[in-house]
Amino acid sequence: MVNIEQLYQHYLKHPVICTDTRSITEGCLFFALKGDHFDANQFAEKAVEAGAAFAIIDNPDFAKGDQLILVDDVLSTLQELAKHHRKQLSIPVIGLTGSNGKTTTKELIRAVLAEHFQVFATKGNLNNHIGVPLSILSITNKVEIAVIEMGANHQKEIELLCSIAQPTHGLISNVGMAHLEGFGGFEGVKKGKAELYAYLSESNGFAFVNAANKDLIEMVSKAGVKNIIRYNIAEESTVQGVLKHSDPLIEFEWSFEGESHEAKANLTGTYNFENILAAISIGSFFKLSAEEINKGLADYFPTNNRSQLTKTEKNTVICDFYNANPSSMAAAITNLNSLTSTNKIAILGDMFELGDESAEQHLRIIELALKNEIDTLIFVGHHFDNAKGDANAHFFTTPTEASTFIQTQNWKDSLILLKGSRGMALEQLLPML
């Protein structure tokens, strides 16, 4: 058995980590992780044959040769290696979590800080107990500041991720009705997300807090964080802003230390304004100029199907189908209602991981959508179908069924919201719009 320091010496010589034999690169370290339906130990030898310098395994049956390194548990070893690497880094690390908008906020922060620093930011959705260690181990000595996204659907997960990422600064974008099944209701969501504040309190770190959000103010105060940077309030020493236009893209004015600045962002949705202010607050804290901040915001174009405005041959589509929960769904519907269009269409897919509240929350979204001025409402999924009652809208249990109906329509010059949980795979409807 090797210890972490010995393994770290291998990492320093071979700093690329792979966990999938399909993406082996020459000289990488292959970690043979196990899942519910796979055991990568059995592929470790193939990983070495494909070019991996070493394979880290936890099944002695596969320990054949010097290039296969046996440990007690591959996952915990990966996490411990990341912790060890993090301790060697003397850079600011911004930990980011939240129920809605955390990935968009991460990208905005990255775009702003990149105007002045060499920035590492979590790639894709590598924000869980495997993704965060992989992210930390991707930070090189050229990086000056890191932004680490942390996702969770149970309590104690953020606590674990903080122990790995060891953030010096932190931001909770918001708390909402997400992952209710795992967290055990909204109060459980607040408790789980507040684990970031608890870490910052214990480590004397800095928390960026939207002062207009009463839940966050309550949470950060309860956690006892001493270093709080508030934004979105009317005080000269804090970042504040006024939304001037959001139809369809956001234009606004922001101020800091008595100076006001006009700015634009390539995002739709009034709900994204708070995410923008968070990025401005962090940029201001790290001494970026207003010009640098505004350029970073203006140069960011969403490409991840989160609040992404897409022009098709016939219509304009708000692509927001990477994920969905009651809070983000309500915000998206309200935003669609506020936008100008001669024909508005909402195609809404099921929301997952709501547990016992699923039926009630799907019914609430149906009722909210019906109250808004939307010309055509389409609900997709078994959860919506079970909650429909006598609602005057179109209901389909699968995207395939919905596509049959959509192809009979002749929508042109319409504004279409396409939103649902990732598992609904609503992207398959985009070519028909």
Side-chain angles (χ1 to χ4, degrees), residues 18-25 30 40 42-44 46-48 50:
C18 290
T19 61
D20 189 333
T21 53
R22 295 169 296 184
S23 58
I24 294 293
T25 59
F30 175 73
Q42 58 189 307
F43 305 118
K46 289 184 178 179
V48 171

Side-chain angles (χ1 to χ4, degrees), residues 338-356:
S338 71
L339 300 178
T340 301
S341 176
T342 56
N343 188 39
K344 298 179 187 178
I345 300 160
I347 304 172
L348 309 177
D350 275 353
M351 303 171 289
F352 296 162
E353 296 186 53
L354 298 181
D356 293 339

